């Protein structure tokens, strides 16, 4: 843990705070005050985003231990942008809803600048896995 500079830890905390505030403004009012049932996928999305923002609070306290949360967010948004949005954009078939989702997902472009990749490699790739039995 000493291998990560204090400034890097503060940058990670700033990213978690950005997530908390952003989703706190966008998602939580709808979670708290929704009046009618959501369609299945809308409910799934809203609840997953609420859980993501709630777990990001732990990132303020434990920025390195909560890195898998940021890696998951980086992975799914990157996959969605590449597999869904990019082909639609390239073919000129982006509708307003897809543009809106793509705009929201583009925040992920800043994540690689905040994530301490050497730490990720050392602790998640190179490190010996836990025993199986």
């Amino acid at each position: 843990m000493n291998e990560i500079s204090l400034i890097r830890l503060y940058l990670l905390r700033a990213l978690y705070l950005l997530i908390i505030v952003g989703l706190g403004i966008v998602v939580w009012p709808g979670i708290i005050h929704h009046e009618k049932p959501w369609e299945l996928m809308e409910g799934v999305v809203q609840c997953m985003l609420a859980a993501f923002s709630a777990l990001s609070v732990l990132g303020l306290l434990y920025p390195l231990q909560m890195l898998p949360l940021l890696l998951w967010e980086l992975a799914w948004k990157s996959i969605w942008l590449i597999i869904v949005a990019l082909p639609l954009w390239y073919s000129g078939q982006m509708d307003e809803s897809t543009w809106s989702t793509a705009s929201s997902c583009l925040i992920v472009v800043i994540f690689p600048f905040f994530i301490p990749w050497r730490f990720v490699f050392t602790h998640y790739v190179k490190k010996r896995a836990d025993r199986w039995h």
Side-chain angles (χ1 to χ4, degrees), residues 23-50:
L23 292 177
I25 292 168
V26 174
V27 172
W28 278 100
I31 293 283
I32 294 168
H33 301 293
H34 84 279
E35 296 166 6
K36 59 182 179 163
W38 283 310
E39 291 183 22
L40 175 63
M41 288 312 297
E42 182 64 20
V44 169
V45 168
Q46 295 304 312
C47 291
M48 285 181 66
L49 289 172

Side-chain angles (χ1 to χ4, degrees), residues 59-116:
L60 295 174
L61 302 171
Y62 311 106
L64 296 176
Q65 290 172 316
M66 295 305 291
L67 271 175
L69 188 65
L70 296 180
L71 295 173
W72 175 79
E73 185 75 357
L74 175 63
W76 87 257
K77 283 185 176 181
S78 298
I79 291 168
W80 188 88
L81 286 166
I82 292 166
I83 301 297
V84 177
L86 188 60
L88 289 173
W89 176 77
Y90 189 70
S91 67
Q93 298 177 357
M94 290 272 277
D95 61 12
E96 188 176 324
S97 177
T98 309
W99 270 115
S100 175
T101 301
S103 311
S104 298
C105 286
L106 282 172
I107 185 96
V108 81
V109 300
I110 69 170
F111 279 36
F113 298 104
F114 287 76
I115 293 172

